[in-house]
Amino acid sequence: MKKTFLKFMMIASVLGTVMVSCSSDDDSGDKNTCSDGIQNGDETGVDCGGSSCQPCASTALEGEISDELTLDASLEYELKGKLEILDGGKLTIPAGTVIKATGGTASYIAVAQGGQIFVNGTASDPVVMTSGEASPAPGNWGGLVVCGKAPTNKGTAVTSEVADLTYGGTVSDDNSGVIKYLRIEYTGATFTNDKEFNGLSLFGVGSGTTVEYVQSYNGGDDGIEFFGGTVTGKYLVSTNSGDDGIDFADGWNGNGDFWYISGAAFAGIEGSNLAEEPAGVDPVTTTTLSNITVVGPVTEGALYYKEGGGNFTIDNFYTAGTDLGVKVKSTDTPAATRIEAEALKITNMQFASVADGFEKTDYTGANQSFISEGIATGAGNGAAAPDWAAGWTRGLDNSGVTESNLEGTITSAVSLQADVKYLLTSKLEILDGGELTIPAGTVIEATGQTSSYIAVAQGGKIFVNGTATEPVVMTSGEASPAPGDWGGLVVCGKAPTNKGTAVTSEVADLTYGGTVADDNSGSITYLRLEYTGATFTNSKEFNGLSLFGVGSETTVEYIQSYNGNDDGIEFFGGTVTGKYLVSTNSGDDGIDFADGWNGNGEFWYISGAAFAGIEGSNLAEEPAGVDPVTTTTLSNITVVGPVTEGALYYKEGGGKFTIDNLYTSGIDLGIKVKSTDAPAATRIEAGDLVITNIQFDAKATGFVETDYTGAKQDFYTEGTATGAGNGAATPDWATGWTVGL
């Protein structure tokens, strides 16, 4: 085999140097020779190591490779000048190899068109290219430059910004080798203010090339940059870059997946098409990015959409500690044109621990919907270092994120974190197939009135996993909280309701109802909802918790609505049962149920309701034969007044109610029934309303047990009641996780 002679100096433990270079394929035998310029026998390097040769020390690298060369992981290499892999040349770097560079701009590794590099690091033994200086610093050496034959909109034979190599062409699937598990440190040597090395520069690199698990650490310029080409970059890390974290431009048509960027001096990601973009330039930068984290601070946005931008589709984009989400210069007409044409689309973008003066974007054009917020995991763990980066990267640690925005849609399984305060500024919808898990102790602060609420659509699920000592709290984010500051929690299921099988919810505009009596929308336990009830109109307001057609397999237990502007908790049809419910200071009724609800209730504690303690109805303007009829068994209920519409308001046909152990205190009316409600009266006369062991305690002035004037006056029976547990006093099961009792 032809040998490749480059300046490749073996510095041994004895005097003298030998300049050689060869592939390990040149082995000529099984014995060490120690002097033939070939790595053979059990030598660990060329003419060194093994059973009989002198020990191997460091090896100097520079020159050109036109054939094949494999480095030795047992050696520490010194890059003293440029090392170029020419057309036909191949450089293989095994796992664990360390290359230390000195020489500033003169020291870099470059792969020319037709050359190939194979960086074969592993998660436990990455290849490391770093500074050889005694006190390493950004800009100590150049970096790694790869030039391919894939298209770029700068031309088909362009000279690279650094390394002075030709790149670009028409070979989209060009293959410049494999780069895996590579850490590049202290790169970015400077020629001029606008001409610097990046950690990894990819000029017109084709899709046949693999670029995965690469970190740029403490580089003087961009961490990683794509100049046109079609190569895809996966599992990329940029840490403390002196310019942008990751940059792409010049008609790049690759994709990106799992990028973790922190400490970028300018933009987290800078994406552009072409400076001074001419009409009809081709190809246009076009990419799909997914699973991206940018941890600030940054000075030019988490994303800088620049110089015409291009066609970007970005999903699952998590940012933390930034003051600007997407930057677009007001003078960048091509970029604005593309945004207006919906060429930039970002979904599930989440902003955490935003910096002072935060803006989602500084773009002022008409299309402001190109960003859709949502819950994002970013590169894997939000702002924290992703699991896939463990072991082979450096300089990463978990971010101290304390706040995170919360809005958008959820279509898969998503979990919140109890140590993060979430800011709900708009609607958050859990759609069909989506699952939202909220751990014990989580706090969600909402602002935005009617535009701010959490809704579970049919087929979606919510799991509120509070505990008695650490409830989940959904509350107002206003400086002076008040009822109606935000919407509330809305759950829509597929269980029957007498309003139809596909009805639109009063709030959140979601479909509910159906035939699935045992539908499961998840589990809600130990949840406190505060300052809900934002108002659309006098007849259309959010409740604290609204349950539309929710099925019996859903768990609804240990819930308090506190200082809500409308009803505390309301059941609109469905079959779900509600246990251990608390409604405190509701602006309308304490707990309301209607529209053919066929669930049950047990241990309800209601105080401070502005109208009825409990309002139970069947259907407004009830037609004959409506089905299902509201049918429920309630037990262990306390209503503490004053109220203005009775402890129980049996309304709009009421339904079939069996109630036992109902304790009331401080009310002036026990059971209210309108004289004009003929369907309600018919049911009372038919024995469909039965109340046993109702106790009227501490009666208010003018107290009346019922205002029903029909013939049947024995539908209720007085007795001694404990109600929700302790009569008018706070029940033991409500201590610790409720407020205002």
Side-chain angles (χ1 to χ4, degrees), residues 263-420:
F266 290 88
I269 298 171
E270 182 175 285
S272 55
N273 191 43
L274 188 64
E276 300 176 0
E277 178 180 330
V281 67
D282 186 67
V284 171
T285 298
T286 301
T287 185
T288 295
L289 306 180
S290 54
N291 310 314
I292 309 297
T293 289
V294 173
V295 178
V298 292
T299 58
E300 292 186 338
L303 169 68
Y304 190 173
Y305 187 78
K306 186 180 181 184
E307 293 169 353
N311 305 315
F312 302 1
T313 301
I314 307 175
D315 182 61
N316 189 23
F317 191 176
Y318 186 98
T319 77
T322 66
D323 61 355
L324 178 61
V326 180
K327 179 176 178 62
V328 186
K329 274 189 178 178
S330 60
T331 55
D332 194 338
T333 302
T337 299
R338 287 199 170 96
I339 291 174
E340 295 304 315
E342 300 185 345
L344 175 60
K345 192 71 174 177
I346 305 174
T347 53
N348 295 312
M349 188 171 191
Q350 187 168 7
F351 302 104
S353 291
V354 297
D356 291 342
F358 171 78
E359 292 180 298
K360 291 181 186 178
T361 181
D362 61 1
Y363 178 65
T364 57
N367 180 14
Q368 290 292 312
S369 62
F370 67 89
I371 298 175
S372 297
E373 290 190 64
I375 297 177
T377 54
N381 293 327
D387 295 345
W388 53 262
W392 61 276
T393 60
R394 64 178 295 191
L396 304 185
D397 55 14
N398 287 356
S399 170
V401 169
T402 57
E403 293 183 351
S404 185
N405 283 17
L406 189 66
E407 64 175 80
T409 58
I410 295 174
T411 57
S412 58
V414 171
S415 295
L416 302 187
Q417 298 172 251
D419 58 352
V420 174

Side-chain angles (χ1 to χ4, degrees), residues 598-654:
N598 270 241
N600 297 317
E602 187 174 5
F603 292 103
W604 291 1
Y605 185 85
I606 300 160
S607 63
F611 291 86
I614 298 171
E615 182 175 286
S617 55
N618 191 43
L619 187 65
E621 302 175 0
E622 179 180 331
V626 67
D627 185 67
V629 171
T630 297
T631 302
T632 186
T633 295
L634 306 179
S635 56
N636 310 317
I637 311 296
T638 289
V639 176
V640 177
V643 292
T644 58
E645 291 185 339
L648 169 68
Y649 190 172
Y650 188 78
K651 186 180 180 184
E652 293 169 352

Side-chain angles (χ1 to χ4, degrees), residues 572-599:
F572 297 84
T575 54
V576 65
T577 285
K579 295 182 179 180
Y580 303 102
L581 306 185
V582 178
S583 178
T584 310
N585 302 338
S586 58
D588 195 346
D589 308 310
I591 298 179
D592 195 339
F593 52 85
D595 303 341
W597 180 50
N598 270 241

Side-chain angles (χ1 to χ4, degrees), residues 8-13 17-18 48 55-61 74-80 98 100:
F8 183 88
M9 305 184 68
M10 303 289 298
I11 303 174
S13 60
T17 62
V18 181
C48 67
C56 295
S58 65
T59 301
L61 284 177
S74 68
L75 304 180
E76 182 180 284
Y77 292 90
E78 181 183 2
L79 183 66
K80 302 180 70 174
V98 175
K100 291 187 175 180

Side-chain angles (χ1 to χ4, degrees), residues 367-505:
N367 180 14
Q368 290 292 312
S369 62
F370 67 89
I371 298 175
S372 297
E373 290 190 64
I375 297 177
T377 54
N381 293 327
D387 295 345
W388 53 262
W392 61 276
T393 60
R394 64 178 295 191
L396 304 185
D397 55 14
N398 287 356
S399 170
V401 169
T402 57
E403 293 183 351
S404 185
N405 283 17
L406 189 66
E407 64 175 80
T409 58
I410 295 174
T411 57
S412 58
V414 171
S415 295
L416 302 187
Q417 298 172 251
D419 58 352
V420 174
K421 180 171 69 177
Y422 292 92
L423 308 178
L424 182 70
T425 56
S426 187
K427 69 178 178 181
L428 175 67
E429 289 184 329
I430 300 98
L431 302 182
D432 187 4
E435 294 184 3
L436 174 63
T437 299
I438 308 178
T442 303
V443 175
I444 299 172
E445 293 189 356
T447 55
Q449 297 186 312
T450 55
S451 65
S452 181
Y453 57 88
I454 298 175
V456 183
Q458 287 184 319
K461 290 184 179 181
I462 189 169
F463 297 93
V464 177
N465 297 330
T467 66
T469 55
E470 291 188 292
V472 170
V473 179
M474 300 179 183
T475 188
S476 169
E478 300 292 348
S480 300
D485 277 348
W486 66 291
L489 176 58
V490 178
V491 184
C492 295
K494 302 176 183 178
T497 163
N498 60 25
K499 297 197 79 170
T501 55
V503 200
T504 299
S505 59

Side-chain angles (χ1 to χ4, degrees), residues 21-268:
S21 171
C22 67
S23 167
S24 59
D25 291 339
D26 291 328
D27 289 358
S28 58
D30 297 327
K31 297 181 180 180
N32 296 8
T33 61
C34 303
S35 61
D36 62 357
I38 300 173
Q39 181 179 336
N40 48 24
D42 63 356
E43 294 173 9
T44 57
V46 177
D47 292 341
C48 67
S51 59
S52 60
C53 298
Q54 62 195 12
C56 295
S58 65
T59 301
L61 284 177
E62 61 182 317
E64 296 177 343
I65 299 173
S66 58
D67 203 335
E68 296 186 14
L69 174 66
T70 299
L71 302 186
D72 182 349
S74 68
L75 304 180
E76 182 180 284
Y77 292 90
E78 181 183 2
L79 183 66
K80 302 180 70 174
K82 71 176 180 180
L83 177 65
E84 291 189 21
I85 299 97
L86 303 181
D87 187 3
K90 292 183 180 180
L91 173 63
T92 299
I93 308 178
T97 303
V98 175
I99 300 172
K100 291 187 175 180
T102 57
T105 56
S107 182
Y108 58 90
I109 298 175
V111 182
Q113 287 184 319
Q116 290 186 313
I117 189 169
F118 296 91
V119 177
N120 297 329
T122 66
S124 56
D125 282 304
V127 170
V128 179
M129 299 177 182
T130 188
S131 169
E133 301 292 344
S135 300
N140 279 167
W141 66 292
L144 176 58
V145 178
V146 185
C147 294
K149 302 176 183 178
T152 163
N153 60 26
K154 296 197 80 169
T156 55
V158 199
T159 299
S160 60
E161 179 181 297
V162 290
D164 294 322
L165 293 172
T166 298
Y167 73 97
T170 59
V171 187
S172 291
D173 60 351
D174 189 36
N175 185 345
S176 297
V178 173
I179 303 173
K180 293 186 72 171
Y181 289 107
L182 169 64
R183 190 168 74 240
I184 308 173
E185 303 174 347
Y186 305 108
T187 60
T190 303
F191 292 94
T192 65
N193 287 339
D194 59 355
K195 187 178 181 183
E196 297 174 291
F197 281 94
N198 305 303
L200 173 61
S201 300
L202 300 159
F203 290 92
V205 176
S207 61
T209 310
T210 297
V211 177
E212 297 181 359
Y213 300 100
V214 179
Q215 179 186 24
S216 171
Y217 173 75
N218 281 11
D221 196 43
D222 298 332
I224 300 169
E225 185 161 5
F226 301 81
F227 297 86
T230 54
V231 66
T232 284
K234 295 182 179 180
Y235 303 103
L236 305 184
V237 178
S238 178
T239 310
N240 303 338
S241 58
D243 195 344
D244 308 311
I246 298 180
D247 196 338
F248 52 86
D250 303 343
W252 180 51
N253 270 241
N255 297 317
D257 195 12
F258 292 103
W259 291 1
Y260 183 85
I261 300 161
S262 61
F266 290 88

